[in-house]
Amino acid sequence: AGYNATTASNAVIIGNAAGHNSTLANNAIIVGSGAGYNSTLVNNAVLIGGAAGQNATTSSGAVMIGFDAGQNVIDATNATIVGPLAGGIGTNVDYATMVGYSAGYNGKTASYSTFIGSNSDTLNSSLNVSKSIALGYNAKVSASNMCVIGGTGVDAVRVSIT
């Protein structure tokens, strides 16, 4: 744990290859096999779970909890990423909230956005969205300032008034 870590004062680093080659991880909590591996600028961050925050860059103040949560994320300052594979390939997801299995996985650019529910995400990985909300299983947003509740087809949310 912490092998070759540079500037990681007051950090807690526990686990096989946790924090390995990390840079600027002051006051960080990094726990789990491969958590925070090759991470850069994760000061005051919490990275918990196998490969959580692995290769994360510019993610100070972020919380990444779960297997592969926030793995390969770039620019996730003050983001909250919780769940296996959540926030997977995010780029510029500052202040985003991603909770659930694979929530926000494709959220390439999704700053200030909220993804809650398994597979809640952007419609595809080439979209740049901001200040959007996807709630529920398979909910997908396709534009900035958009709110989607539930997926489509069999995953659609039905509203009835009696």
Side-chain angles (χ1 to χ4, degrees):
Y3 181 76
N4 278 342
T6 306
T7 316
S9 63
N10 299 315
V12 175
I13 303 173
I14 301 170
N16 181 43
H20 181 85
N21 289 333
S22 62
T23 305
L24 294 171
N26 295 311
N27 303 308
I29 298 172
I30 302 172
V31 178
S33 180
Y37 186 94
N38 282 333
S39 60
T40 304
L41 195 58
V42 291
N43 292 320
N44 306 306
V46 176
L47 314 174
I48 300 175
Q54 188 176 62
N55 300 315
T57 304
T58 315
S59 299
S60 291
V63 175
M64 301 177 197
I65 300 174
F67 177 75
D68 282 349
Q71 186 181 38
N72 299 316
V73 74
I74 299 170
D75 291 332
T77 300
N78 296 318
T80 302
I81 302 171
V82 179
L85 301 173
I89 59 172
T91 303
N92 193 10
V93 293
D94 292 335
Y95 302 93
T97 300
M98 303 170 179
V99 179
Y101 172 81
S102 200
Y105 183 85
N106 286 322
K108 183 178 177 185
T109 298
S111 56
Y112 303 98
S113 293
T114 301
F115 302 99
I116 298 177
S118 184
N119 295 317
S120 57
D121 208 339
T122 57
L123 192 58
N124 61 58
S125 62
S126 65
L127 288 173
N128 295 322
V129 302
S130 172
K131 302 173 188 160
S132 291
I133 301 168
L135 296 175
Y137 173 73
N138 236 2
K140 309 286 186 199
V141 294
S142 58
S144 292
N145 302 306
M146 174 184 240
C147 180
V148 174
I149 300 175
T152 59
V154 296
D155 299 327
V157 172
R158 310 245 189 289
V159 178
S160 67
I161 300 172
T162 57

